Amino acid sequence: MPSSTVENYLKAIWFLQGRGEAAELVPIGQVAERISVTPGTATTMMNQLKKMGLVDYTPRRGVLLNEAGRKAALLVLRRHRLVETFLVEVMKLDWAEVHEDAEVLEHVISDRLLTRMDEMLNHPTHDPHGAPIPTADGEITADGTVVLADCPLGSYTLQRVREDQPSFLQWLAGLDLMPGTDLIITERNTEADTLTLELPGRPEPVQISLPAAQSLLVVMP
Ligand SMILES: [Zn+2]
């Protein structure tokens, strides 16, 4: 199994190359910034990843995961998202507080434990934050979501939320604004940088800032 450092690089490159979709080389500076290391450190790691057969790396131009690297990245994401689901569904932890633990556990959970968690959860397809869980074969389905902040007025279903800010998740839970919730954008105020939402069971409209709406992914119902 690759080291946790290698796995974190693979995950970072996967996100930076547009969740594995983009074909454009990712500059090493971006990788370094995402992992919080110097460009020199990241460059050294790129040579290692290339030797391990996980990336296509061109010095001074950038890096892309190859098929083996992509699968390895998706298996780390699978462990992360299954662990989060297990912590919430089975261990009854708050959805706002599981991401940090999953960042650690994703590197150490054995295949045997993971398989058992997946069985106990009845093979979930999404994690508590609404993100799709890659399959055991390292495949992931695009969920067709769009960022709420970019949407015109109308009806949507919240599908997925940004997972790494506990206070933001607690605030969403306080509004019952969880994955699966239907909502209507009734107004966009460009001066105040806010959206006004109608939420189920709330007589009063709710205003959210556009930056907050950047962290919410929706689908058309
Ligand atoms: Zn997470």
Side-chain angles (χ1 to χ4, degrees):
M1 192 190 274
S3 74
S4 58
T5 311
V6 166
E7 291 182 338
N8 283 333
Y9 272 92
L10 295 177
K11 258 197 333 183
I13 300 168
W14 187 79
F15 281 112
L16 288 168
Q17 65 180 71
R19 304 194 148 84
E21 304 277 306
E24 278 193 28
L25 291 172
V26 176
I28 305 309
Q30 284 184 19
V31 179
E33 195 181 320
R34 185 159 179 124
I35 310 235
S36 304
V37 296
T38 64
T41 303
T43 300
T44 305
M45 179 56 86
M46 289 311 117
N47 286 310
Q48 282 189 38
L49 293 177
K50 190 175 179 178
K51 267 192 208 138
M52 293 170 79
L54 297 169
V55 298
D56 296 325
Y57 166 55
T58 312
R60 286 178 294 282
R61 292 201 47 226
V63 66
L64 273 185
L65 297 177
N66 62 20
E67 190 53 25
R70 188 178 160 276
K71 293 244 164 182
L74 284 169
L75 290 178
V76 183
L77 269 186
R78 173 174 171 79
R79 292 201 293 274
H80 182 104
R81 291 176 178 173
L82 268 176
V83 163
E84 285 188 339
T85 310
F86 190 85
L87 294 179
V88 170
E89 296 293 328
V90 177
M91 300 185 77
K92 306 298 178 197
L93 291 171
D94 191 301
W95 79 324
E97 294 169 348
V98 293
H99 175 72
E100 281 302 311
D101 286 305
E103 285 285 281
V104 178
L105 291 170
E106 68 185 15
H107 305 298
V108 295
I109 289 280
S110 69
D111 287 346
R112 191 171 67 100
L113 284 188
L114 194 75
T115 302
R116 183 68 189 129
M117 282 180 175
D118 187 40
E119 283 168 8
M120 287 179 74
L121 293 164
N122 202 15
H123 315 293
T125 57
H126 291 78
D127 76 11
H129 311 114
I133 299 174
T135 65
D137 301 331
E139 296 298 334
I140 193 165
T141 38
D143 56 10
T145 53
V146 284
V147 174
L148 182 66
D150 300 337
C151 291
L153 306 189
S155 298
Y156 303 92
T157 302
L158 181 62
Q159 170 80 34
R160 180 172 177 183
V161 303
R162 188 174 161 173
E163 58 170 357
D164 57 355
Q165 294 169 329
S167 57
F168 177 65
L169 291 172
Q170 278 156 0
W171 177 72
L172 290 178
L175 291 172
D176 281 326
L177 194 46
M178 314 280 282
T181 304
D182 293 325
L183 58 90
I184 304 169
I185 309 177
T186 55
E187 196 187 334
R188 172 185 291 269
N189 184 331
T190 41
E191 275 68 44
D193 255 4
T194 57
L195 292 181
T196 305
L197 305 181
E198 234 174 76
L199 299 177
R202 284 194 174 256
E204 299 292 316
V206 171
Q207 282 207 340
I208 68 167
S209 70
L210 279 181
Q214 287 286 349
S215 296
L216 302 176
L217 297 174
V218 296
V219 289
M220 302 274 196

